[in-house]
Every structure is written in C-alpha cells, then in structure tokens.
Amino acid sequence: MSSARTIVVGVTGGIAAYKAVNIVRAFVLAGHSVHVVATEAALRFVGKPTLEAISRNPVHTDLYEGVAEVRHVAIGQSADLIVVAPATANTIAKLAAGLADDLLGNTILASTAPLVIAPAMHTEMWNNPATVANVKTLRERGVVIVGPGVGQLTGADIGAGRMEEPDTIVAAALALLDDGSARQDLAGQDLAGRRIVISAGGTREPLDPVRYLGNRSSGRQGVALAEAAAARGASVILVAAHLEVPPPAGVDLRPVSTALELQAAVEAAAATADVVIMAAAVADYRPAERRADKIKKDEAGDTFRLDLVKNPDILAGLARAVPRPAVIVGFAAETEADPAARLELGRQKVARKGCDYLVLNRVGWSQGFATESNDIVVLDRRGDIVNEASGTKLSVANCILDVIVQAGTPDHHPSD
Ligand code: CTP
C-alpha cells in the first residue's frame, strides 16, 4: 500500500452521491487524509455531517468561505489525487470546458494531481453526443474515467450509466498512488480506466463426445494483448478458448469452448466495454449435429460426409450493434504470400466486418501459430495502414494498443 496521501473527493449532485460515503471511508481506512469538496447539489442527496464524520475533516462547498486562506486554490494545490464520484453529466461538461464557477471546479483547475472521475447518469445522457465528446476530451487530457457500469438505474430502467462500484473506483484511484509517487507518470498507464475485452485462442466445435473441429491458434497473441493492456492500466476481460499458454495475472478470465459460447461471453462483456479485440480464431462452421454417442467407423463407411452450419460472425455483429463499444479491433490471418494481395484481402475484410481496425498477419504451415513472434500491419476502417510491427507477440501487442490509445474514444455513437 502507498504511504498516507492527501486525497480530495469531489461529490456532485446525483443520486449515487450516497455511495460516495463508502469511497471516502475506504480512503480513510487505507490511511489517507481525505478532504471532501461537495457541490451544493450533492448536499441535497447526502448529508454534510455524514461526509464530515466519515472523512474526519470539514466538508467544503462554498467558494466564498475561507477566502483569506485562498481556499479555492489551496485545496487543489495540496491534493495528491482528486476523485470525483459521482460525476454528473453537468460536472463532466464543466470539467471539459475548464469552468470554475464553484469550489470543486476551482479545486480541480488549481491542481496538477491525477484526476479520477466516476460518471453516473441515465443511459440517454451518457450516450448523448455532448457527453461522449466531453468524456473524450477528458480522456485525452489524461483524466482516468472509471465506469460507468451497466445495471439498474434510479428508476425502473436498466442500462449504462450506473456509477461503478465504490470498491472498483477506490482500487483504480489507489493504483495511481501505489508506486509511492502521487505525480505518477500517467503515460505508462495510458489505458487506466479503459475496459477492454479480448478474445483469444481457438474455438472447438464438437462432433461427438470425443471429437471436435478445431484450429491451430495457441492464444499467444491474445494473451500477450491481455498482459500488455493490464500492464498499461486497463481493466481486462479475457475470453479464452483453449489457450495453450497460461493467462496473465490480473485479468478477468472467462473460459469458453465453442464459437457460440465465445459469442455469448464476448457480447455480455462488450456491453460495458470501451474496446473489444477479437484475437480468437473462431470456427466459421459447426457440425449440424452433435452426436450423443461416438460416431462408429462401420456406420460412417469409406467416405464420411459431415454437414456443417455457419456460425454467427461475432466481430461483424459487434460492429453493427447499437450501442457498441467505441473501438472494435479484428484480426485477419491470411495465407496469401504476396504482400500487396494480402493487404487487399485485409482491406476487403475490414470493410466487410465494419470494425475500426484490422490486424493483418500472414499464417502458414510454419508461420503465425504457436510461435513466439509475429509480423503484422494494422489497417483502419478506410484500409489505410496506421501501424506495423514485427517482433515478439508482446511488442506486437503494444503496437496494437498504441493505435487504440491514439484513437482515444472515437466519436462512434449510436446515431452514427
Ligand atoms: N471472427 C468472428 N466470428 C466468426 C469468424 C471470425 O468474430 N465466426 C473474427 C475473428 O476473431 C477475427 C476476424 O473475425 O477477428 C477475422 O477472422 P477470419 O477468420 O480471418 O475471417 P472470416 O470472416 O472467416 O473471413 P474469410 O473466411 O474470408 O477469411
């Protein structure tokens, strides 16, 4: 754990303000000095005495109190970390614009400390193009955005916008202090607060209890992506189909076997993800029938015909979904030896799948699978090469993640 630090918790006016009490308490119990700056609206949802008792410090709201001690800048200057939870759509807009019409706005503008915000609002407000643009602006400035989650909102409705659980917010915030330096270089953590779903490995489609149709994917590239994304601060869900290498520590592992299982796991995880990377080799077809008993040679005869049915195209389905994750990355493993022709296949595939980026590599009898290195180019949705890499699967993974970081949160929106 990091040594005692000064953490400012900004509480703004949303129903989730009552949960800020648990966040304040967790920071205090972790040994930090916690100062709450609440907006007027926040105090309509949660009581000042509660926040003062839990934080063990006075709660400040008024810009015109403590003028002699220049409180409007002093609080921000003393902060090692600022956490705004909940952050309403209004507060996010004010932060994006750099407004300082209340004490919290002044505190944040006067601070050079890392800033973590936990948005909380209704789904329509979260998906509104104004909020999407404001969140993108904040991310580009290095603000760490935790959540929101998907779940029951204040009314009867369910959707994205629910404030992330206090434990998750606290863990993401404390991770920024954990190396003992409050002014941690955020560049190394350029995926902090991003939720990335990565599929890896190869699916297996059962024929009978002992046999399956499979492929040669080892899962190495997907595992390297998960490892690199987690090291860069992302929260990673790894949907893993028959990995031949151990999964990295610190990721949320979701084992699957068939293409349909992989689809269900990826789609469930994608509902709250910013980024999905489909590195898994998914079977395009599955046996029409899954026999309950082992198929016998005598019954099958000299030539054996197998009926296959098409599996859904998971990547194309994700790219078409509304709403959909902000960045969707596909892979294309092609055996075409001629680089120009291979590039053309990649261009056609990115257009067909509708993904934002396509990682193109060459596979063959001795290339691409179960090897420690890889050789790739990354195409954008227009088919232009935006990055290329050759080397270990970990260095290739970082090159792919660089493209995602540079993309920020693109302005994809359900109305696009
Ligand atoms: N993919 C998918 N669902 C499928 C098949 C593939 O989501 N049923 C994803 C893979 O994870 C990969 C991308 O689509 O990210 C490209 O896979 P690939 O097998 O190269 O593409 P296909 O659609 O099978 O195209 P083709 O058969 O023409 O090569």
Side-chain angles (χ1 to χ4, degrees), residues 104-161:
L104 183 59
N106 278 271
T107 300
I108 291 171
L109 276 189
S111 173
T112 54
L115 175 61
V116 176
I117 69 166
M121 64 199 74
H122 277 274
T123 310
E124 292 79 2
M125 295 172 84
W126 176 247
N127 284 335
N128 187 286
T131 309
V132 170
N134 291 332
V135 169
K136 180 172 184 257
T137 301
L138 293 180
R139 259 196 230 288
E140 283 167 359
R141 286 188 204 144
V143 175
V144 174
I145 306 204
V146 184
V150 173
Q152 179 86 51
L153 300 172
T154 310
D157 41 349
I158 291 178

Side-chain angles (χ1 to χ4, degrees), residues 205-238:
E205 308 297 322
L207 284 154
D208 68 17
V210 294
R211 302 184 181 95
Y212 59 81
L213 293 179
N215 60 67
R216 291 178 54 210
S217 177
S218 66
R220 279 183 175 78
Q221 187 60 72
V223 165
L225 274 162
E227 184 182 343
R232 290 166 73 157
S235 125
V236 178
I237 294 178
L238 179 61

Side-chain angles (χ1 to χ4, degrees), residues 197-206 215 217-219 222-223 237-243 253-271 276-284 286 290 311-318 328-331 353:
V197 178
I198 297 168
S199 70
T203 61
R204 291 181 184 174
E205 308 297 322
N215 60 67
S217 177
S218 66
V223 165
I237 294 178
L238 179 61
V239 178
H242 306 285
L243 302 181
L253 189 68
R254 312 264 169 100
V256 295
S257 185
T258 65
L260 292 179
E261 286 171 18
L262 190 134
Q263 179 187 31
V266 166
E267 287 179 357
V276 175
I277 306 177
M278 284 292 295
V282 182
D284 286 328
R286 65 181 181 276
R290 184 192 291 202
N311 275 326
D313 189 322
I314 305 165
L315 178 63
L318 284 172
I328 298 177
V329 182
F331 269 70
K353 302 264 183 181

Side-chain angles (χ1 to χ4, degrees), residues 8-12 82-88 91 95 104 108 115-119:
V8 171
V9 178
V11 185
T12 75
I82 301 182
V83 179
V84 181
T88 58
T91 296
L95 291 179
L104 183 59
I108 291 171
L115 175 61
V116 176
I117 69 166

